[in-house]
Amino acid sequence: LYVDMQGGNRNDIPAINAVTSLLSDQRVSIKQRIAVDFYGKYQIQPIIEVTDDYNTYDLVTAYQIFREYGMGDQLVEYFKEKGEKNDIKVADAIKKISDAIKVCDVDAFDTGLGNLDSAIGESRDNKKETTELNFIINQIEADYGELLSDARYESNRPLKYVKQIRWCIKKNFIQQAVTIFEAKMPTEFVWNGLCFYCNNLDKREEILGKFTNIFNWYKENKERDIYKLKDLNHFWIRDYSNYKKDCSSPITLDYYYGKDKDSYRNVFSRYKEICDMRNDVSHPSGRAKKGGFYDLVYRKNARENQHSRDITVRIEECLKEFERVVENIDSSKIDSVIDLA
């Protein structure tokens, strides 16, 4: 379609944009928007193209979708049409975060935050004037906050994943929050000294050797479960105890209790409880008693909203208790912990 944007009441313009936006879902594209460059002294008024002027509506809509639902496809499409190299780099970083959110890929989300932070830095360095992208960047920085600054650090950044979990809950990305909680809280436990397998550089090679022996044992005896060793912290806290006797390669589990041993134990018991809740929903076929998966889904749907509230409340309680425990641990002890993951 070619759309005449000239004349009429000012209120007509938002209505026209709303209609054309709906038409795009029916494979109708807007080729050009046309207006008149009106000047009263002229008898004949020049016709001009104003397509780019109205693209701002598309930008705002695309950003709102990304902000509310984590879906960045429309933002990517918008900036790629502009064709500027720095814009495309930021758009690609947005796309990777968007894709990671969609499929709950914890590591890809983490990497995507780092890529986005780098792309934003490069874009700012190379641009002197204010652009549409600057507007979006300002909004993203306000929205993602410390998640971007934490992504600049490749090594351990205590409470990094706690912030990601809370950000997901705030955005109502419940499944993503639970996935990060289950996958990355073991790393937080190690980074913050709640438990550790190495706090002495002289023993680093010895402990890595033991992990290698465990890997080889899995390869020979339980190859289908070998993926569990992808993240050593997660494996060690969630799965190692299940195979410790079989592996016959003991790795000592050490703790810094701080001042409150009960709170320390509560953190781990809450973590396990929430992980079990998550697995009941994500992998229900082996746990539902009567009708397997469909029976569990049927029963779950009736209380789905309550389930979401329950699990987010439990996660927040666990995180608060975790932070209280960390506050009571000597920082010098935390610094001595070596993460081998």
Side-chain angles (χ1 to χ4, degrees), residues 74 89 203 215 225 235 238 282 298 305 341:
Q74 290 189 27
K89 196 165 185 179
K203 293 187 175 181
F215 177 85
D225 288 342
F235 163 78
R238 287 279 287 151
S282 299
Y298 177 78
N305 292 334

Side-chain angles (χ1 to χ4, degrees), residues 311-336:
I311 203 163
T312 54
V313 168
R314 288 171 191 243
I315 286 174
E316 184 55 38
E317 288 173 349
C318 181
L319 295 180
K320 284 181 178 177
E321 192 138 33
F322 166 71
E323 288 169 326
R324 282 197 297 270
V325 172
V326 171
E327 285 176 3
N328 291 322
I329 297 176
D330 189 323
S331 60
S332 64
K333 291 183 177 179
I334 295 176
D335 293 339
S336 70

Side-chain angles (χ1 to χ4, degrees), residues 210-226:
K210 290 181 177 181
F211 274 125
T212 302
N213 291 339
I214 293 172
F215 177 85
N216 290 333
W217 181 89
Y218 265 79
K219 198 170 182 180
E220 291 176 12
N221 299 280
K222 287 186 177 289
E223 191 167 5
R224 67 192 180 104
D225 288 342
I226 207 167

Side-chain angles (χ1 to χ4, degrees), residues 97-335:
I97 288 179
S98 171
D99 290 345
I101 289 173
K102 286 178 190 174
V103 299
C104 295
D105 188 330
V106 175
D107 293 326
F109 180 63
D110 208 20
T111 302
L113 288 169
N115 292 340
L116 181 59
D117 184 64
S118 298
I120 286 173
E122 287 182 29
S123 178
R124 283 235 164 94
D125 291 341
N126 293 322
K127 284 193 174 184
K128 295 180 181 179
E129 75 280 2
T130 300
T131 66
E132 291 175 325
L133 183 63
N134 292 136
F135 166 75
I136 292 299
I137 285 174
N138 292 337
Q139 297 296 315
I140 288 174
E141 287 183 317
D143 190 10
Y144 281 74
E146 287 185 281
L147 270 60
L148 290 176
S149 58
D150 283 345
R152 293 170 199 158
Y153 298 84
E154 293 182 7
S155 57
N156 57 332
R157 184 76 168 160
L159 305 184
K160 168 183 176 178
Y161 295 114
V162 170
K163 293 171 190 172
Q164 288 185 14
I165 293 162
R166 284 186 168 137
W167 180 86
C168 286
I169 291 174
K170 181 181 176 182
K171 306 282 283 185
N172 207 32
F173 298 161
I174 306 303
Q175 187 175 359
Q176 289 81 356
V178 176
T179 302
I180 296 172
F181 179 87
E182 194 273 340
K184 292 301 183 181
M185 280 310 291
T187 297
E188 289 284 4
F189 296 157
V190 172
W191 283 357
N192 291 281
L194 269 72
C195 58
F196 57 93
Y197 40 76
C198 185
N199 65 341
N200 186 335
L201 276 174
D202 294 336
K203 293 187 175 181
R204 183 179 184 277
E205 295 304 319
E206 176 189 339
I207 293 170
L208 281 175
K210 290 181 177 181
F211 274 125
T212 302
N213 291 339
I214 293 172
F215 177 85
N216 290 333
W217 181 89
Y218 265 79
K219 198 170 182 180
E220 291 176 12
N221 299 280
K222 287 186 177 289
E223 191 167 5
R224 67 192 180 104
D225 288 342
I226 207 167
Y227 70 91
K228 293 179 179 178
L229 277 86
K230 178 184 176 184
D231 182 339
L232 287 185
N233 292 331
H234 185 271
F235 163 78
W236 180 64
I237 288 172
R238 287 279 287 151
D239 299 301
Y240 173 60
S241 59
N242 296 331
Y243 298 103
K244 186 160 57 174
K245 293 179 182 178
D246 297 329
C247 293
S248 65
S249 182
I251 297 175
T252 306
L253 184 67
D254 289 314
Y255 307 88
Y256 288 139
Y257 287 123
K259 297 177 182 178
D260 191 346
K261 196 170 182 178
D262 290 336
S263 292
Y264 174 90
R265 287 172 172 166
N266 284 341
V267 170
F268 280 93
S269 63
R270 286 177 189 272
Y271 170 71
K272 184 180 184 304
E273 181 183 69
I274 292 166
C275 289
D276 289 343
M277 287 179 70
R278 181 243 179 193
N279 290 336
D280 278 348
V281 175
S282 299
H283 314 289
S285 57
R287 296 175 182 266
K289 292 180 180 178
K290 292 184 180 178
F293 175 78
Y294 292 103
D295 184 58
L296 188 138
V297 168
Y298 177 78
R299 287 184 281 114
K300 175 189 147 311
N301 284 345
R303 60 179 194 281
E304 183 173 0
N305 292 334
Q306 184 62 42
H307 174 82
S308 295
R309 283 195 295 272
D310 286 348
I311 203 163
T312 54
V313 168
R314 288 171 191 243
I315 286 174
E316 184 55 38
E317 288 173 349
C318 181
L319 295 180
K320 284 181 178 177
E321 192 138 33
F322 166 71
E323 288 169 326
R324 282 197 297 270
V325 172
V326 171
E327 285 176 3
N328 291 322
I329 297 176
D330 189 323
S331 60
S332 64
K333 291 183 177 179
I334 295 176
D335 293 339

